[in-house]
Amino acid sequence: MSSAGTLARLMRVGLVLAATMAVPFVAALPASAQTVKIGMILTYSGRDAALGEQIDRAVNLFVKMHEKELPPGVKVELIKRDDTGVNPDLAKRLAQELILRDGVQILTGGQWTPNAMAIAGLTKEAKVPFITMTAGGSAVTLQSPYVVRTGWTLWQTSYPLGQWAAKQGWKNAYTVVSDFGPGHDGEAAFTKGFTEGGGAITGAVRIPLKTTDYLPYFQKIKDVNPDVVYVFNPGGPQATAFMKAFDDVGITKSKIKLIGPGDITSDDELPNMGKSALGVVTMLQYSPAGVRPANAEFVAAWKKEYGADQVPTYFAVAGWDGMRAIFDTIKAQKGKIDPEATMAFLRSWSNPVSPRGPVRIDQAGDIVQHLYLRRVEEKDGRLANIEFATIEQTGDPWKIFNKK
Amino acid sequence: MTTIPAPPVAVIAAPSGLARLLQLVPWFVVAGLPLVLPGYEPLAMQVFVMILFALSLDLLVGYAGIVTLGHAGLFGMGAYTAGILSVHGVTDPIVTALAAMVVAALTGLVFGAAMLRTKGLTLLMLTMAAAFLLYEIANKATGLTGGEDGLQGVSFTPVLGLFAFDFRGKTAFFYSLVALFLVFTFVRILINSPFGWSLRGIRENDARMVAIGCPILQRRVVAYVISAALAGLAGALQAQTTQFVALHSLSFELSGNILIMLILGGSGRLYGAFVGVPAFMFAQDLLAKQDPANWFLGQGIILIAMVMLAPGGMLGIAERAMAAIKRRLS
């Protein structure tokens, strides 16, 4: 064989080898600069899958209705992952894989505070913007410069609620919270608001998240007989379980008042709670019964898409606004996502016509929004959270109190 | 009492020099994985940690005949030991890993000495109860463990002062692979030692072992403590490679999953862990991606099919196939 033939064969082998080696590298590159990959980590299975579904539906609906508004040629691709519940180590690994394997440019979801904390820590090194939708622990946005929040914090709902409760002339309060980050925040925020207004805390209990039998805890509250009980749980099916247990113990029929952030009377669970929830006063940024044109449109679109008996909750609105913020970012950068520019844009993002009223994100990365006092009432034969007072707010109170 | 079929008792001939070298080949192949499949390091290192954990369980389930549903208790003790030490300033990976092994071994000694006096269902229940106890303690001691929020602020200094843990997981990949290799070598020597054979004897017929003068309680406790130390090491690796410790590491779910992974591969076969764990975890990864909402269903169907059709696990199938081929040929 001639040496030229050998050389040609060697070159061919070399070419094939080089091509094989290059495949993984090519695969790791983003598919197209005009497709924005968004990784979304939510709870799709397990007890709290209903909460994840609210966010997922809102995101899907938003994309469906607003896809046309994207600049020509720009598309979004949602890559969804299941964190199975409060499971920070899994959430962290999923985020890691979304960044490394799928090459996502934006992370979102962030349903649970512990999970969001774990993901946020990762974004500091990876420099991937993370829009956490419903994690309510104040500390989440402090974990990394690449995090903003479109939901709420427990301090936003519970501190003014404590002030309001003190103004009602109630002297003694008992606090009952789920034993995890947001629960601790809610307990501290309510206690501060209530005691500053002259009230006293006569008892506090933290209930493990996985507990299903609340009666022993609630029986004790009845024995102490406070004027008011501050309750926090993460909403969804747990909210109904709490309310049923309060009913079983007889607290709902006694003169003891139940109050809390809106999680405890979440709108999709109200039909399951029944009359026991009547009269419960909560503070939250959103009720589907809120009278605002943007909200009427949103609720109508929701019912059209998912059925007339379906209602969007505050989880859905957090997902909706989160997606709005992401879309606005993509539009502003014409589909080319730069982490620093994205964060600068998000930290001054605002939406005057959210279903929950005007909202904006401040420099701390936290949402600034109105909060509404609501009472559970019967309206057209159905229970609803009826807004009766509005509190204008300026960001997360915890960060204001702890300003360095 | 135990329904896990015992593997054939056969003496594996000590491999010759060349065969020994050949056995190292798969390890080098795996070490080259990051070149071929970039981005899979986090999953791969998780697989290594779980294989190590399953190996520690195989020592109990496969060789000593001790079926436990609370092995995560020991894994979690290791993970929290490493994590809590790191939060309080002891951040060297190797020092914390050794500390985690000691703490898990001591935990194993305390629980093992009490539980291993019983057998069968009683023992199974006790192992579960012990793990639940540890879980609830960790859940309640939020000041120390972070409770449901997980332990925040876990970070470790570079391995040997040279290789820093990065978010791409390269260091963690090789670090856990080396640890797995060391543990595998140790377990292989152990099960082929007289001690290992006495464990098999106890598994097969403890009354006869007593008759020939074998102190069975002592042997079982020693096996439990060794297994605990290895489980603790797996926990520490998990804490170090993910820089995070959550209650999940003590959970019943993990105890159950690791047992399923081991049985899936085939217990008492040393390599069962190497087959079952990757099969389970890759299937999980794939299914969860296909359908984030209903992937548990797919996983359940696969497991039911395995248990019904392949009682010896995947290695059991391979063994039967080999036996059939041999019959054909002879």
Side-chain angles (χ1 to χ4, degrees):
Chain A
M1 195 186 287
S2 72
S3 65
T6 318
L7 194 65
R9 206 161 59 191
L10 266 178
M11 276 176 70
R12 234 180 4 242
V13 172
L15 208 66
V16 170
L17 267 179
T20 335
M21 301 282 279
V23 165
F25 297 105
V26 174
L29 290 172
S32 142
Q34 296 304 311
T35 298
V36 180
K37 288 190 178 182
I38 303 169
M40 183 158 78
I41 301 171
L42 293 174
T43 299
Y44 288 101
S45 66
R47 173 174 72 171
D48 296 306
L51 296 173
E53 190 187 40
Q54 280 279 337
I55 306 174
D56 187 61
R57 282 180 161 189
V59 167
N60 292 340
L61 184 63
F62 187 91
V63 173
K64 189 177 167 191
M65 290 172 67
H66 296 277
E67 214 164 13
K68 319 181 270 303
E69 297 168 15
L70 289 173
V74 176
K75 282 198 170 63
V76 293
E77 182 187 345
L78 284 168
I79 304 176
K80 299 175 183 180
R81 294 288 181 266
D82 177 21
D83 62 17
T84 72
V86 176
N87 205 345
D89 47 347
L90 176 61
K92 186 172 177 177
R93 176 161 70 82
L94 292 173
Q96 217 169 354
E97 290 175 357
L98 283 169
I99 298 168
L100 291 176
R101 262 199 250 166
D102 300 298
V104 300
Q105 292 143 289
I106 293 174
L107 277 171
T108 188
Q111 181 172 341
W112 300 95
T113 296
N115 298 7
M117 297 277 277
I119 298 169
L122 199 66
T123 62
K124 204 170 10 175
E125 204 187 329
K127 298 194 180 7
V128 173
F130 174 41
I131 293 93
T132 176
M133 285 166 167
T134 63
S138 283
V140 174
T141 46
L142 297 177
Q143 300 305 305
S144 150
Y146 295 95
V147 183
V148 296
R149 178 194 332 258
T150 60
W152 63 92
T153 72
L154 260 295
W155 274 88
Q156 288 184 327
T157 53
S158 297
Y159 177 69
L161 186 65
Q163 293 175 316
W164 176 81
K167 278 190 206 120
Q168 306 309 303
W170 296 328
K171 292 273 168 280
N172 307 307
Y174 202 107
T175 63
V176 187
V177 299
S178 291
D179 192 4
F180 76 132
H184 306 164
D185 275 9
E187 184 190 279
F190 176 81
T191 302
K192 186 171 166 69
F194 191 61
T195 51
E196 279 174 357
I201 304 291
T202 53
V205 61
R206 294 174 174 184
I207 302 181
L209 263 183
K210 294 198 170 67
T211 304
T212 47
D213 182 11
Y214 307 110
L215 289 180
Y217 298 99
F218 295 172
Q219 189 59 50
K220 203 170 152 207
I221 299 173
K222 205 176 171 223
D223 299 341
V224 173
N225 196 23
D227 295 323
V228 58
V229 181
Y230 167 83
V231 187
F232 167 73
N233 54 52
Q238 290 194 58
T240 302
F242 262 69
M243 204 54 81
K244 290 227 152 95
F246 278 124
D247 204 35
D248 289 344
V249 175
I251 289 181
T252 47
K253 288 179 205 71
S254 71
K255 60 173 188 44
I256 303 173
K257 295 278 180 294
L258 284 180
I259 62 172
D263 308 69
I264 66 166
T265 57
S266 74
D267 300 280
D268 51 337
E269 291 293 329
L270 276 179
N272 305 337
M273 292 182 190
K275 306 246 183 245
S276 53
L278 276 174
V280 174
V281 172
T282 55
M283 174 87 87
L284 200 69
Q285 65 279 0
Y286 177 72
S287 163
V291 189
R292 283 174 290 277
N295 186 40
E297 258 172 58
F298 173 60
V299 174
W302 188 276
K303 286 182 185 287
K304 192 174 155 228
E305 182 77 13
Y306 299 117
D309 57 339
Q310 300 291 318
V311 280
T313 66
Y314 58 112
F315 269 73
V317 173
W320 180 265
D321 281 342
M323 217 52 211
R324 160 73 69 199
I326 291 173
F327 263 53
D328 287 351
T329 309
I330 295 172
K331 276 191 268 182
Q333 299 181 72
K334 306 210 167 42
K336 294 191 177 58
I337 301 299
D338 170 69
E340 313 302 330
T342 303
M343 294 320 293
F345 179 86
L346 287 175
R347 280 168 197 277
S348 57
W349 175 83
S350 67
N351 177 13
V353 288
S354 161
R356 54 182 144 164
V359 295
R360 65 182 175 88
I361 296 177
D362 64 10
Q363 285 301 311
D366 266 310
I367 188 101
V368 179
Q369 57 196 343
H370 288 338
L371 283 151
Y372 308 96
L373 274 164
R374 313 103 45 91
R375 191 179 284 112
V376 178
E377 288 169 19
E378 205 161 347
K379 186 185 158 200
D380 309 327
R382 283 184 166 198
L383 296 186
N385 287 301
I386 305 297
E387 296 169 358
F388 65 88
T390 304
I391 290 168
E392 298 205 10
Q393 232 188 14
T394 53
D396 179 32
W398 185 80
K399 294 204 181 64
I400 294 164
F401 295 136
N402 291 281
K403 211 164 215 164
K404 287 191 187 102
Chain B
M1 182 54 239
T2 52
T3 49
I4 298 160
V9 180
V11 183
I12 305 155
S16 66
L18 180 67
R20 265 175 198 237
L21 276 181
L22 278 178
Q23 281 176 355
L24 288 177
V25 170
W27 295 93
F28 283 106
V29 171
V30 171
L33 267 184
L35 289 175
V36 192
L37 287 173
Y40 278 83
E41 288 96 339
L43 181 65
M45 79 192 185
Q46 203 97 53
V47 170
F48 299 154
V49 171
M50 283 297 128
I51 293 177
L52 206 167
F53 185 30
L55 263 180
S56 79
L57 182 64
D58 200 14
L59 206 55
L60 291 185
V61 176
Y63 290 94
I66 302 167
V67 180
T68 162
L69 269 175
H71 216 45
L74 301 163
F75 179 89
M77 283 304 282
Y80 274 107
T81 303
I84 291 169
L85 279 177
S86 115
V87 172
H88 291 89
V90 187
T91 52
D92 184 79
I94 293 172
V95 172
T96 47
L98 292 176
M101 287 177 79
V102 172
V103 171
L106 287 176
T107 314
L109 181 64
V110 172
F111 282 116
M115 297 189 305
L116 293 171
R117 290 162 201 279
T118 63
K119 289 203 292 187
L121 267 186
T122 321
L123 176 58
L124 200 65
M125 291 295 122
L126 282 177
T127 57
M128 243 168 88
F132 276 130
L133 207 65
L134 293 174
Y135 181 94
E136 279 312 321
I137 291 172
N139 189 8
K140 277 302 194 186
T142 42
L144 194 61
T145 63
E148 198 78 56
D149 296 319
L151 196 58
Q152 301 290 342
V154 177
S155 72
F156 292 88
T157 45
V159 184
L160 301 173
L162 293 174
F163 308 103
F165 290 106
D166 53 339
F167 96 96
R168 292 183 178 277
K170 281 235 157 53
T171 303
F173 176 89
F174 290 109
Y175 176 64
S176 45
L177 183 63
V178 168
L180 175 61
F181 178 72
L182 293 178
V183 167
F184 168 74
T185 311
F186 169 74
V187 170
R188 201 169 67 165
I189 293 171
L190 187 73
I191 56 169
N192 289 318
S193 69
F195 174 76
W197 283 100
S198 73
L199 289 183
R200 288 190 189 74
I202 295 167
R203 179 191 73 199
E204 292 301 314
N205 192 333
D206 55 351
R208 196 176 285 176
M209 289 302 279
V210 175
I212 62 169
C214 174
I216 65 166
L217 176 64
Q218 185 221 22
R219 291 280 155 88
R220 277 153 59 98
V221 171
V222 171
Y224 197 77
V225 169
I226 294 174
S227 169
L230 297 182
L233 174 63
L237 288 180
Q238 160 105 346
Q240 293 167 351
T241 53
T242 60
Q243 313 258 318
F244 203 84
V245 187
L247 275 181
H248 176 72
S249 65
L250 279 168
S251 66
F252 175 68
E253 191 193 339
L254 180 61
S255 294
N257 273 348
I258 197 72
L259 191 61
I260 291 171
M261 289 185 224
L262 181 62
I263 293 171
L264 192 67
S267 66
R269 285 164 168 89
L270 191 58
Y271 293 98
F274 289 84
V275 177
V277 173
F280 184 92
M281 290 185 68
F282 281 112
Q284 200 176 50
D285 186 56
L286 214 68
L287 287 169
K289 255 202 227 167
Q290 290 303 320
D291 184 353
N294 299 308
W295 59 279
F296 274 114
L297 178 69
Q299 186 178 322
I301 291 172
I302 294 174
L303 291 180
I304 292 171
M306 280 304 292
V307 172
M308 305 271 285
L309 304 174
M314 291 161 76
L315 285 186
I317 298 180
E319 275 161 18
R320 269 179 291 167
M322 294 284 273
I325 292 170
K326 265 188 197 155
R327 266 203 311 278
R328 235 356 118 69
L329 292 177
S330 61

